[in-house]
Amino acid sequence: MTAVLTDARRGHRGLYGFAIAMAALTAVLLVAAVLDQRTLLGAPLWFKPLKFSVSLTAYSFTLAWMLGQLREPALRRAGWAIVTAGAVEILIIVGQAARGVRSHFNDDTLGDELLFVLMGVTIVVLYIATVAIALRFLREPGRDRAAGTAIRLGLVVGLIGMGVGFVMSAIGSHAVGVPDGGPGLLLVGWSTTGGDLRVGHFVGMHALQALPLLAVALAATGRFTESTRTRIVTVAAVAYGAVVLLLTWQALRGQPLLAPDALTLGALAVVVLGAAGALVIGRERVAA
């Protein structure tokens, strides 16, 4: 763990410091959620700021660690752009929650509408800066081929997940087929009566952590060669990306996450079987 923290601090001190600040904010918001029992659109008022603070903690720390894997310090401006944009976004989200009003898709007043537009700008900045980081990793080989592949593909799938946010902005809602703020799953609030684009958005963005963690776990076993680990990570990344697209497609069809129809289940089966088949075929080729 010490090595991970050292890499993150070396990778980008701004992102590393922002991650610490967001972790501290998460603790404060947990207290606020306990003490302030108000609700907004049927959900606890402080849950949205809490979810965003947790997400920004993971996002900024992961990117700081990723930059620490480069051979030389790079992308300082991109890192600071992410810190600035993230700080503005969380400030608006927390501030609007404190007022007891929505931060997203809020056009009740001119001020609320301008704040939402500003949030849209921060998302564009975050996206472009993340693209810059992804392009750098596509050019530069990592210390370990499997870990480098996990970082590159994690960034690609993460960008797909972030892109779902633009779909939500385009339709002016995260729910499909039902109004925002209806019955939702515990903690995350994802709709249980209609489609919810936040599912694909969430799952996709966390490929940034999931795929590198997979590479680390495979290396820790000591049972796989570098080429085998790279192949497993690649197959997992393709399957992960396919699941993100599947979840987004399911939501756009107005279908709740926990109520998939036969078509959705069939598509999921194709993804799972395809991934399993790719791993088996790859193993047989190595054995031959």
Side-chain angles (χ1 to χ4, degrees):
M1 185 62 185
T2 302
V4 172
L5 293 174
T6 300
D7 283 348
R9 188 164 47 245
R10 182 181 66 246
H12 197 286
R13 289 188 177 275
L15 285 168
Y16 180 78
F18 186 59
I20 294 174
M22 289 300 97
L25 178 61
T26 297
V28 172
L29 292 174
L30 278 170
V31 174
V34 172
L35 297 179
D36 187 349
Q37 299 293 319
R38 287 180 293 168
T39 61
L40 181 63
L41 295 178
L45 177 66
W46 293 103
F47 270 25
K48 173 168 281 189
L50 181 60
K51 287 187 290 185
F52 271 83
S53 67
V54 171
S55 181
L56 284 170
T57 299
Y59 176 73
S60 53
F61 181 83
T62 301
L63 290 181
W65 173 81
M66 286 180 171
L67 290 174
Q69 307 310 300
L70 295 171
R71 299 179 189 279
E72 297 180 359
L75 296 164
R76 296 305 183 199
R77 291 181 181 176
W80 281 111
I82 290 171
V83 170
T84 303
V88 172
E89 182 178 19
I90 194 66
L91 180 63
I92 294 173
I93 293 171
V94 172
Q96 291 291 75
R99 294 178 56 220
V101 301
R102 294 173 298 157
S103 53
H104 290 72
F105 312 116
N106 186 347
D107 57 0
D108 293 343
T109 68
L110 177 60
D112 292 326
E113 189 171 1
L114 289 174
L115 286 174
F116 181 54
V117 170
L118 180 57
M119 289 176 64
V121 173
T122 66
I123 293 302
V124 172
V125 171
L126 282 168
Y127 194 86
I128 293 173
T130 306
V131 168
I133 293 173
L135 291 175
R136 177 58 182 258
F137 275 99
L138 288 174
R139 296 198 310 269
E140 182 171 330
R143 305 172 189 172
D144 176 87
R145 190 154 60 97
T149 299
I151 291 173
R152 294 185 192 97
L153 295 180
L155 283 163
V156 170
V157 178
L159 286 168
I160 294 172
M162 290 178 69
V164 179
F166 294 116
V167 178
M168 287 188 270
S169 295
I171 67 175
S173 168
H174 57 71
V176 179
V178 294
D180 282 351
L185 296 176
L186 183 65
L187 296 181
V188 291
W190 298 335
S191 178
T192 56
T193 57
D196 200 317
L197 289 164
R198 292 176 297 181
V199 183
H201 182 58
F202 174 89
V203 174
M205 285 192 64
H206 288 288
L208 289 170
Q209 294 85 37
L211 292 175
L213 283 174
L214 173 62
V216 169
L218 290 172
T221 66
R223 298 174 53 192
F224 304 100
T225 64
E226 184 179 67
S227 61
T228 299
R229 287 186 281 114
T230 302
R231 184 176 68 254
I232 294 173
V233 166
T234 301
V235 171
V238 173
Y240 197 117
V243 169
V244 172
L245 294 175
L246 174 58
L247 291 170
T248 304
W249 176 58
Q250 179 186 10
L252 288 171
R253 290 161 56 220
Q255 192 177 113
L257 173 66
L258 300 184
D261 61 12
L263 187 59
T264 300
L265 291 174
L268 178 60
V270 169
V271 172
V272 173
L273 292 175
L279 290 174
V280 170
I281 292 171
R283 183 176 181 180
E284 290 177 347
R285 285 179 177 175
V286 171

